Amino acid sequence: MPPNEPRSHCPINLSLEIFGDTWTLLVLRDMMFGGKRHFREFLESDEHISSNILADRLARLVDSGILTKSGDPTHKQKAIYSLTEKGIALLPIVVHIGAWGSHWVPDAKKLDAGARKVVREIQESGPRGWAKRMAELRTEHLR
Amino acid sequence: MPPNEPRSHCPINLSLEIFGDTWTLLVLRDMMFGGKRHFREFLESDEHISSNILADRLARLVDSGILTKSGDPTHKQKAIYSLTEKGIALLPIVVHIGAWGSHWVPDAKKLDAGARKVVREIQESGPRGWAKRMAELRTEHLR
């Protein structure tokens, strides 16, 4: 995982030092397409992330300014995670990774109908489609 | 790293089981934008990948059908790595990761002029720009 001094200042490398692992983008997927906002919800995903890895990744995402963590007004004991503008800007990356896997990995299960619809809409409409979904995420996540 | 049985059949997860680490996409970056094709060339990148990690990642990329490895007709002792169509299809992901890092990570060094020009052209022209760059990669990499 990332050392204090980046390996290089190439923007691709700096990005990968933040989210270049097998778990971080799954947490973002769950927020962007699964509407998940609470610690327990992420634990329930099919990949069975462990609670210590999840806690580590959420803390890193908050440190990186991709998520914010705050008290959930509807559940006094729960924290709620929200995407920041910097986090919402990762949407095109997540969509392209899903599109690539869906097309090129032989055992990719078909997405469920809801996710398929979102991805198809976003892909077909290109940057305009991302802008629409990003606007929805802003409404849901930003104050 | 990926177990034999995937953690889930979500296309995003399956993709990340292939390239979700801090090194694999740097190798692809070097091929897509640095014109690198030989083992030694990858070792020379600023991030100083170690030769055992590099050997592991190249072998995985070949196993995944993203690269092919063959004898270099101009250097009898050298292997040359080529992108496949499946590998070239990763271009939009690499471009978006670079664009995000360039915009959002404070210490992202400006790309050098050549890389900046390529990324700007690709971004400004959207999918048509990717198609052009992907066509160039096909000419260079596919037989």
Side-chain angles (χ1 to χ4, degrees), chain A residues 2-143:
Chain A
N4 292 325
E5 188 62 28
R7 298 176 300 186
S8 82
H9 289 274
C10 164
I12 295 171
N13 176 60
L14 290 167
S15 300
L16 293 173
E17 291 200 19
I18 295 171
F19 58 73
D21 67 272
T22 44
W23 293 107
T24 303
L25 290 173
L26 295 183
V27 173
L28 294 169
R29 171 202 67 184
D30 285 348
M31 296 187 79
M32 291 172 175
F33 297 109
K36 299 191 178 188
R37 307 289 292 270
H38 298 102
F39 193 88
R40 283 201 169 278
E41 292 175 308
F42 299 113
L43 292 178
E44 290 160 7
S45 295
D46 288 345
E47 294 83 11
H48 301 298
I49 191 169
S50 69
S51 59
N52 62 329
I53 292 179
L54 177 59
D56 174 80
R57 296 307 188 273
L58 286 169
R60 285 174 187 276
L61 285 167
V62 170
D63 284 348
S64 308
I66 289 170
L67 300 184
T68 55
K69 178 182 181 179
S70 55
D72 183 340
T74 67
H75 296 84
K76 285 211 167 143
Q77 287 140 321
K78 279 189 184 177
I80 186 166
Y81 291 91
S82 303
L83 291 160
T84 62
E85 192 63 47
K86 184 176 180 175
I88 292 169
L90 290 165
L91 179 78
I93 297 171
V94 177
V95 170
H96 275 288
I97 290 173
W100 183 86
S102 193
H103 190 270
W104 288 101
V105 185
D107 50 357
K109 192 171 63 180
K110 293 293 175 231
L111 293 169
D112 70 60
R116 197 163 59 232
K117 181 163 170 286
V118 171
V119 172
R120 194 190 317 118
E121 281 175 4
I122 289 174
Q123 286 188 292
E124 284 177 359
S125 53
R128 265 187 305 128
W130 303 336
K132 178 166 171 286
R133 180 67 187 149
M134 287 159 86
E136 291 165 357
L137 289 171
R138 277 185 202 105
T139 305
E140 293 162 25
H141 287 260
L142 303 180
R143 286 153 190 267

Side-chain angles (χ1 to χ4, degrees), chain B residues 68-132:
Chain B
T68 55
K69 178 183 183 179
S70 55
D72 183 340
T74 67
H75 296 83
K76 286 210 168 143
Q77 288 140 323
K78 280 189 184 176
I80 186 166
Y81 291 91
S82 303
L83 291 160
T84 62
E85 192 63 46
K86 184 176 179 176
I88 292 169
L90 290 165
L91 180 77
I93 297 171
V94 177
V95 170
H96 275 288
I97 290 173
W100 183 87
S102 193
H103 190 272
W104 289 102
V105 185
D107 51 357
K109 192 171 66 180
K110 294 290 174 236
L111 293 169
D112 71 59
R116 197 163 58 235
K117 182 164 169 286
V118 171
V119 173
R120 194 191 316 117
E121 281 175 3
I122 289 174
Q123 287 187 292
E124 284 176 1
S125 53
R128 265 188 306 128
W130 303 337
K132 179 167 171 285

Side-chain angles (χ1 to χ4, degrees), chain B residues 2-3 18 20 25 27 29 36 38 54-55 60 62 74 87 91 98 101 118 129 142:
Chain B
I18 295 171
L25 290 173
V27 172
R29 170 202 67 183
K36 299 191 178 187
H38 298 101
L54 176 59
R60 285 174 188 275
V62 170
T74 67
L91 180 77
V118 171
L142 303 181

